[in-house]
Amino acid sequence: MKKFFISLVILFSIHSLYAQSATVVTEILNSEKATFGQLCYIVAVHEGLVRDSASYTDAIDVLFQKGQIPSYAYEDAYVPYANLAYLYAKIFKVKGGLMFRIFHGAPRYAFKQLKYDGIISENALPDSLVSGQKLLDIYTACMIKYSDFKLSAE
């Protein structure tokens, strides 16, 4: 049952990542620790800021220039839950609670909001590193929760 669920999540993750390269998605899925470059790639392609053939560095550059990320980071830096939550909350336009709105979706409050919404597990810590599969699982969960993406048998 677990393999079926994981296969289903991976299928929807790949589908929801639009036309992104299968090689990149496979690379992300196989990563024990997701990198900032991989996260920025997903965000930049989702936002339509780069093509699916872009590099991780291109994605980081574009997000930095557009003000989507507050500071430039190396593509090989590992991603903690708080940073992942921050970027996903921005691209899915999460409304959030009072503190989230006051601090303009700061990573700490973005993490708490996604945790409250059931997107991130209750036992996750903000500075824990995320695997590639978890990065895509959370992306899919955000797509389902915060967008008009529907799972149906039709």
Side-chain angles (χ1 to χ4, degrees):
M1 182 69 176
K2 186 177 178 180
K3 286 183 182 179
F4 174 74
F5 178 71
I6 290 172
S7 298
L8 197 61
V9 168
I10 291 170
L11 174 69
F12 288 119
S13 294
I14 292 170
H15 171 70
S16 64
L17 290 174
Y18 305 111
Q20 294 180 15
S21 168
T23 306
V24 174
V25 173
T26 302
E27 180 183 323
I28 293 170
L29 281 171
N30 292 331
S31 299
E32 280 188 43
K33 296 176 186 170
T35 64
F36 195 66
Q38 292 170 336
L39 174 61
C40 288
Y41 175 84
I42 289 172
V43 170
V45 171
H46 175 90
E47 293 283 289
L49 300 174
V50 297
R51 306 191 83 188
D52 62 338
S53 58
S55 70
Y56 295 150
T57 304
D58 293 340
I60 292 170
D61 290 342
V62 167
L63 291 179
F64 181 69
Q65 290 169 0
K66 297 283 185 182
Q68 295 265 350
I69 54 176
S71 62
Y72 195 86
Y74 294 104
E75 71 177 72
D76 293 333
Y78 295 126
V79 177
Y81 275 101
N83 291 359
L84 172 123
Y86 173 74
L87 283 174
Y88 283 177
K90 285 186 99 164
I91 66 170
F92 290 107
K93 297 171 182 45
V94 175
K95 300 294 183 236
L98 179 63
M99 295 302 282
F100 180 81
R101 289 191 304 265
I102 288 173
F103 290 100
H104 307 289
R108 171 188 173 94
Y109 296 108
F111 171 78
K112 286 183 176 216
Q113 186 63 47
L114 266 57
K115 204 171 182 181
Y116 176 80
D117 289 344
I119 303 296
I120 295 175
S121 95
E122 282 295 318
N123 59 356
L125 299 173
D127 58 347
S128 297
L129 299 179
V130 181
S131 71
Q133 182 173 349
K134 190 54 102 173
L135 182 118
L136 292 175
D137 289 348
I138 294 171
Y139 177 82
T140 302
C142 287
M143 285 285 289
I144 293 167
K145 177 89 175 170
Y146 304 120
S147 73
D148 60 356
F149 181 78
K150 302 287 185 228
L151 294 175
S152 67
E154 297 177 313

